[in-house]
Amino acid sequence: KMSKISEVTTKADIKPKSMHRAKIWSDDVENLYRFQQAGYRDEVEYKQVKQVDEVECWPETGFVKKLQRRDNTFYYYNRQRECEDKDVHKVKVYVY
């Protein structure tokens, strides 16, 4: 399934209109957590910086599987949830 963020065109340099912090865990929050751990705002910024069309995801859960950081090292993620409840409030949710 495509996340809502994927539907935003990634051609132009899109800047978010606003940002709020996540309050409860969800699939989208989990993926944002993974992008932000790797040093990106979200999927939109990752695709702009890395010039990729697709992000590798786990087929079972839809969570991000592998991300390339700006210094070209890779982050690999588990298929299960990694963002714990105590970390949910650290996740920034950007609105476009």
Side-chain angles (χ1 to χ4, degrees):
K1 78 183 173 62
M2 283 285 265
S3 67
K4 290 178 227 39
I5 298 164
S6 302
E7 293 162 18
V8 177
T9 58
T10 52
K11 303 282 179 287
D13 195 22
I14 306 159
K15 294 276 183 274
K17 291 192 196 66
S18 64
M19 183 275 286
H20 62 274
R21 300 232 178 226
K23 303 231 182 335
I24 54 166
W25 184 88
S26 71
D27 289 359
D28 287 338
V29 168
E30 177 67 39
N31 280 334
L32 285 169
Y33 174 77
R34 295 172 185 218
F35 282 110
Q36 289 166 23
Q37 265 197 325
Y40 301 94
R41 214 171 36 224
D42 52 27
E43 187 176 338
V44 174
E45 187 186 40
Y46 181 77
K47 287 179 174 180
Q48 284 170 5
V49 173
K50 288 297 170 192
Q51 299 290 301
V52 294
D53 295 326
E54 281 304 307
V55 178
E56 242 186 278
C57 294
W58 289 103
E60 308 89 352
T61 58
F63 296 152
V64 174
K65 184 177 188 177
K66 178 178 86 178
L67 291 174
Q68 190 174 11
R69 290 185 355 187
R70 291 170 197 267
D71 63 4
N72 292 331
T73 56
F74 283 93
Y75 272 0
Y76 296 92
Y77 297 99
N78 296 325
R79 55 171 62 83
Q80 277 85 31
R81 171 179 174 174
E82 289 194 11
C83 178
E84 295 178 32
D85 283 334
K86 66 178 172 54
D87 295 325
V88 167
H89 72 280
K90 297 177 189 168
V91 176
K92 296 174 183 174
V93 182
Y94 293 92
V95 180
Y96 291 90

